[in-house]
């Protein structure tokens, strides 16, 4: 990526900004943030990007990708941050989609990829289990072969958006004879299949993002298995690399900092501004410098992927540093919100909307250093594969 954009890149930036002006507004943003309209509004937003051909920047062109350079991806993400436009949920486009087009057969690609692109099929991730914690290889959800089907029994937990999902991609144990990693398979499961129960988990922010998903003699066709039996660990590692890259949260951090700067620039009763406080300025500057360094690291990873490589240890670094920065900006946002008094909504919806949202994001953000593989695990990966320790 060049420090100075070319005329073509500046033209692309103008095109992106014009697209956002025409297709994303405060009304759509409010609907996306409302749990009652979240799914329909998010699908609407994804379809607008799909119609423009801008829904899957990271996919190969032959499967519906944009064919963008890493600089174009940077410009697009920056433009989203400028207007506070969210990315689409990652489970289809950034997680299972790449697994399907990389390891799936032609029938699976034709069956699943089109609806992932349009948003007509929503996915959730069946990895974590109540007894496994961050030890993904310790999963116990069992898949027993019965002719052309598997019979699935077990439980997944912390399953984000399972209440909305049409399908779940899940790791299941198909063999107990060898090392734990050697007996895992990767299955695609229709959430409407009899025997699946979704139980809500209300998070610390009071919202219903998470779920427990139970499987009771759920019958899944063998044709829904990705790749070979007992080789799911290989596919899971590839997915986790893409997931951890997506968890860096750079665009989100930019959006939050933009809001923080706007509110910090407002005058208090005595005419002072938080934005003029040297301690606050130093705090903002530290986060912005860290964020810029992380952004260029992500661009290097994107360039590697564009040249046919795969994100490796670097994806753990992005996840580690990115989630720490997300918590830093959430703490900063919450501190600024404290200037506005009440941050708790009442039955009459009294309270500052910025403060209420800051509180929710701060509380939910305590988990971001845990999900996607805890940051302690990421440090071990970096130490082993990056530093040779």
């Amino acid at each position: 990526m060049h420090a100075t954009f070319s005329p073509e890149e500046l033209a692309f930036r103008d095109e992106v900004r014009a697209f956002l002006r025409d297709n994303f507004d405060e009304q759509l943003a409010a609907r996306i943030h409302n749990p009652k309209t979240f799914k329909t509004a998010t699908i609407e937003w994804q379809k607008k990007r799909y119609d423009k051909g801008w829904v899957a920047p990271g996919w190969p062109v032959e499967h519906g990708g944009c064919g963008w350079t890493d600089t174009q991806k940077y410009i697009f993400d920056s433009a989203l941050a400028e207007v506070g436009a969210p990315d689409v949920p990652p489970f289809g486009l950034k997680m299972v989609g790449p697994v399907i087009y990389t390891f799936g057969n032609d029938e699976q690609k034709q069956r699943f990829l089109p609806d992932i692109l349009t948003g007509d099929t929503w996915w959730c991730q069946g990895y974590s289990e109540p007894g496994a914690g961050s030890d993904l290889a310790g999963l116990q959800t069992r898949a027993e072969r019965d002719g052309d089907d598997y019979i699935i029994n077990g439980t997944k937990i912390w399953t984000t958006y399972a209440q909305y999902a049409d399908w779940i991609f899940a790791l299941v144990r198909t063999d107990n004879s060898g090392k734990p990693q050697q007996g895992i398979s990767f299955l695609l499961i229709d959430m409407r299949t009899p025997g699946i129960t979704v139980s809500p988990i209300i998070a610390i922010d009071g919202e219903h993002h998470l779920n427990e998903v139970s499987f009771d003699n759920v019958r899944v066709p063998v044709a829904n298995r990705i790749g070979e039996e007992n080789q799911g660990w290989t596919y899971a590692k590839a997915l986790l690399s893409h997931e951890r890259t997506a968890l860096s949260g750079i665009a989100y951090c930019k959006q939050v900092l933009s809001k923080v700067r706007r509110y910090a620039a407002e005058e208090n009763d005595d005419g002072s501004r938080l934005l003029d406080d040297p301690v606050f300025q130093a705090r903002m500057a530290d986060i912005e410098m860290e964020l810029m360094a992380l952004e260029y690291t992500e661009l290097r990873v994107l360039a590697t992927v564009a040249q046919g490589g795969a994100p490796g240890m670097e994806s753990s670094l992005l996840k580690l540093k990115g989630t720490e920065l997300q918590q830093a900006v959430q703490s900063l946002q919450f501190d600024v919100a404290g200037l506005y008094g009440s941050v708790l909504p009442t039955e009459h919806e009294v309270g500052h909307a910025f403060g209420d949202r800051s509180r929710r994001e701060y509380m939910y953000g305590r988990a971001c250093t845990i999900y996607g593989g805890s940051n302690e695990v990421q440090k071990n990966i970096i130490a082993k594969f990056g530093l040779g320790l």
Side-chain angles (χ1 to χ4, degrees):
M1 178 188 151
H2 300 291
T4 302
F5 294 136
S6 68
E8 293 78 15
E9 289 163 347
L10 291 173
F12 175 72
R13 185 185 63 183
D14 292 341
E15 183 182 5
V16 173
R17 287 174 172 173
F19 169 79
L20 292 173
R21 283 196 301 269
D22 294 340
N23 292 277
F24 188 83
D25 54 24
E26 291 184 0
Q27 183 180 19
L28 179 56
R31 290 171 53 217
I32 290 175
H33 289 304
N34 184 338
K36 295 180 180 179
T37 54
F38 165 72
K39 183 175 181 179
T40 55
T42 301
I43 292 175
E44 178 184 333
W45 172 226
Q46 180 166 339
K47 286 185 179 297
K48 289 183 177 184
R49 288 179 54 177
Y50 173 78
D51 292 340
K52 181 66 174 178
W54 287 356
V55 76
W59 286 31
V61 174
E62 61 268 27
H63 295 305
C66 302
W68 287 348
T69 64
D70 52 309
T71 303
Q72 287 176 300
K73 294 174 185 176
Y74 168 82
I75 290 172
F76 185 76
D77 287 342
S78 297
L80 290 181
E82 287 175 1
V83 299
D87 205 348
V88 295
F91 305 105
L93 284 168
K94 293 186 177 180
M95 295 185 187
V96 75
V99 171
I100 292 173
Y101 68 61
T102 302
F103 302 106
N105 57 42
D106 289 340
E107 181 180 352
Q108 291 167 339
K109 295 175 188 177
Q110 294 170 6
R111 179 182 181 187
F112 294 110
L113 294 183
D115 285 349
I116 290 176
L117 289 168
T118 61
D120 288 324
T121 298
W122 268 40
W123 291 80
C124 60
Q125 179 185 34
Y127 274 27
S128 298
E129 295 190 4
S134 291
D135 178 19
L136 186 56
L139 66 90
Q140 295 299 316
T141 296
R142 181 74 182 168
E144 297 181 344
R145 187 73 177 261
D146 180 26
D148 292 333
D149 294 333
Y150 288 109
I151 307 299
I152 313 299
N153 285 280
T155 303
K156 299 293 182 179
I157 201 168
W158 315 126
T159 313
T160 304
Y161 297 155
Q163 73 270 34
Y164 302 122
D166 304 297
W167 285 74
I168 182 172
F169 55 93
L171 293 181
V172 296
R173 185 156 300 284
T174 44
D175 189 358
N176 276 317
S177 61
K179 293 181 179 180
Q181 295 89 342
Q182 295 175 343
I184 295 173
S185 296
F186 193 110
L187 295 184
L188 312 178
I189 304 172
D190 190 333
M191 290 291 284
R192 297 166 296 183
T193 308
I196 296 179
T197 302
V198 177
S199 302
I201 298 174
I202 305 304
I204 192 173
D205 63 350
E207 297 290 341
H208 177 196
H209 317 277
L210 307 171
N211 303 271
E212 182 180 79
V213 180
S214 301
F215 301 88
D216 182 11
N217 292 320
V218 174
R219 187 172 289 271
V220 178
V222 174
N224 286 8
R225 185 189 71 219
I226 294 292
E228 300 178 18
E229 188 174 85
N230 299 328
Q231 296 301 311
W233 188 253
T234 299
Y235 317 135
K237 287 192 297 183
L239 184 148
L240 285 170
S241 293
H242 287 283
E243 176 187 5
R244 288 166 183 163
T245 301
L247 290 175
S248 63
I250 292 171
Y252 166 77
C253 288
K254 286 185 174 182
Q255 292 172 16
V256 174
L257 286 175
S258 177
K259 286 191 295 181
V260 166
R261 186 178 290 105
R262 185 167 66 251
Y263 280 100
E266 294 186 3
E267 291 187 354
N268 296 314
D269 292 340
D270 61 0
S272 65
R273 301 191 313 163
L274 181 60
L275 195 61
D276 298 325
D277 180 79
V279 175
F280 179 81
Q281 291 174 349
R283 196 173 169 190
M284 280 279 291
D286 285 344
I287 293 175
E288 289 175 332
M289 286 187 291
E290 294 276 6
L291 185 60
M292 181 180 295
L294 182 68
E295 191 167 31
Y296 276 89
T297 301
E298 183 176 65
L299 287 169
R300 287 195 295 270
V301 174
L302 291 173
T304 299
V305 173
Q307 294 170 6
M313 175 275 298
E314 293 82 3
S315 65
S316 291
L317 192 154
L318 288 170
K319 194 274 179 183
L320 172 66
K321 193 61 183 179
T323 51
E324 289 177 348
L325 275 174
Q326 288 173 55
Q327 291 182 341
V329 299
Q330 287 162 351
S331 295
L332 182 67
Q333 179 180 233
F334 199 19
D335 288 346
V336 173
L339 296 176
Y340 295 92
S342 173
V343 295
L344 292 175
T346 70
E347 59 180 337
H348 302 295
E349 298 300 324
V350 177
H352 197 287
F354 173 70
D356 181 41
R357 182 160 183 80
S358 299
R359 175 185 63 86
R360 292 175 182 274
E361 291 184 5
Y362 174 85
M363 298 180 79
Y364 186 73
R366 301 310 91 192
C368 70
T369 51
I370 301 173
Y371 58 63
S374 70
N375 281 14
E376 289 76 12
V377 170
Q378 305 314 313
K379 290 177 181 178
N380 287 338
I381 293 173
I382 294 168
K384 182 177 181 180
F385 297 103
L387 304 176
L389 300 178

